[in-house]
Amino acid sequence: METAELLKTLDREGRSLAAAAAEAGPDAKVPTCPEWQVRDLLRHTGAVHRWAAAFVADAHTAPRPLGDPPDLDGAELVAWYRDSHRLLVDTLADAPADVECWTFLPESSPSPLAFWTRRQAHETTVHRYDAEAARGGTASPIAPDFAADGIDELLRGFHARSRSRVRTEEPRVLRVRAVDAGADAVWTVRLTSEPPVTVREAAGEAEAELSGPADQLYLALWNRAPVPSVTGDRSLADLWRDTSVI
């Protein structure tokens, strides 16, 4: 997806997150993250926004720790989150296209600016869904092409890293297919005792396939919802659920 389009998504999703959090209230439980209340969600996501913005604004070329959120609650915490989100969006919008700074996912994006815009768009969308789950009612839609982009980032970015725990003692092959996002919205994930290796194609035979509409599959792979459809060896779906937490 184009960086400008991802930036618009980030802008919209952050505003929706804040609105849902304000409606739910800081004490509301977040059913998709059972250890959190809404205040924890706002503090985490706002801190991540400020952390990401600093890499771009100050051109940091090495990793830096996530800062501590302020000791705020209620309406003041929501306002702080809104400010954090606006800082991030404005920083990305104003940054030069060739800014050089640290990033952390392999095979993710063509430039640091594209990386941070993409990463924060998906970070915010997943946590917007969390906020709306805490509020209750119908969740906002996720476009199929954006959901497919997020699946790609998760499989070929996050789970290509050495810290991925999705591993098997013997080689196994898992297929992931978004049925409404175009012919290329299919991934083959090769599992071994090393980090998964994923290609965006239906390469060879697979022992199991996780499939469904892109938005549902996106949420399922981020462990926010059940997998829409599993064919083949269901133990590979269980392995994903049990070991894929980021």
Side-chain angles (χ1 to χ4, degrees):
M1 295 183 66
E2 294 295 326
T3 299
E5 186 177 0
L6 289 167
L7 185 62
K8 289 179 182 178
T9 300
L10 169 59
D11 187 14
R12 181 184 66 249
E13 294 290 326
R15 288 185 281 108
S16 296
L17 189 162
E23 189 174 349
D27 295 329
K29 295 289 188 180
V30 181
T32 46
C33 299
E35 71 279 12
W36 275 0
Q37 293 174 292
V38 165
R39 63 172 55 86
D40 302 304
L41 176 64
L42 288 172
R43 288 169 180 166
H44 166 79
T45 313
V48 169
H49 287 342
R50 290 174 182 264
W51 174 76
F55 283 109
V56 176
D58 300 330
H60 294 302
T61 56
R64 296 164 59 89
L66 192 67
D68 294 327
D71 187 18
L72 299 173
D73 209 347
E76 290 184 326
L77 179 59
V78 174
W80 174 82
Y81 172 75
R82 291 185 193 276
D83 288 345
S84 303
H85 171 250
R86 179 47 47 199
L87 172 67
L88 174 63
V89 171
D90 289 348
T91 296
L92 294 170
D94 294 342
D98 60 351
V99 63
E100 292 293 333
C101 62
W102 180 76
T103 63
F104 63 88
L105 293 184
E107 292 192 29
S108 176
S109 297
S111 71
L113 181 60
F115 166 84
W116 283 112
T117 307
R118 183 193 198 198
R119 173 81 292 277
Q120 287 301 292
H122 290 296
E123 174 90 10
T124 309
T125 298
V126 171
H127 288 317
R128 182 271 300 161
Y129 182 83
D130 293 333
E132 291 182 343
R135 179 203 63 196
T138 303
S140 301
I142 302 172
D145 59 340
F146 178 76
D149 182 76
I151 293 169
D152 192 75
E153 185 206 42
L154 180 63
L155 296 179
R156 297 204 296 153
F158 276 102
H159 286 290
R161 299 188 300 170
S162 61
R163 65 181 63 185
S164 175
R165 298 185 299 115
V166 186
R167 304 185 184 210
T168 55
E169 292 184 5
E170 300 296 330
R172 308 291 301 276
V173 181
L174 175 66
R175 187 99 71 224
V176 176
R177 188 186 305 271
V179 300
D180 60 345
D184 70 333
V186 56
W187 297 262
T188 301
V189 186
R190 300 191 181 279
L191 303 172
T192 65
S193 60
E194 298 297 318
V197 176
T198 300
V199 294
R200 191 164 179 169
E201 60 180 330
E205 297 294 322
E207 296 164 74
E209 180 168 304
L210 314 183
S211 63
D215 60 342
Q216 296 178 33
L217 197 56
Y218 174 71
L219 294 172
L221 292 172
W222 276 107
N223 290 308
R224 262 57 182 190
V227 177
S229 176
V230 181
T231 56
D233 188 346
R234 295 191 65 90
S235 70
L236 289 180
D238 295 338
L239 175 74
W240 182 273
R241 181 195 62 216
D242 294 341
T243 64
S244 66
V245 175
I246 301 298

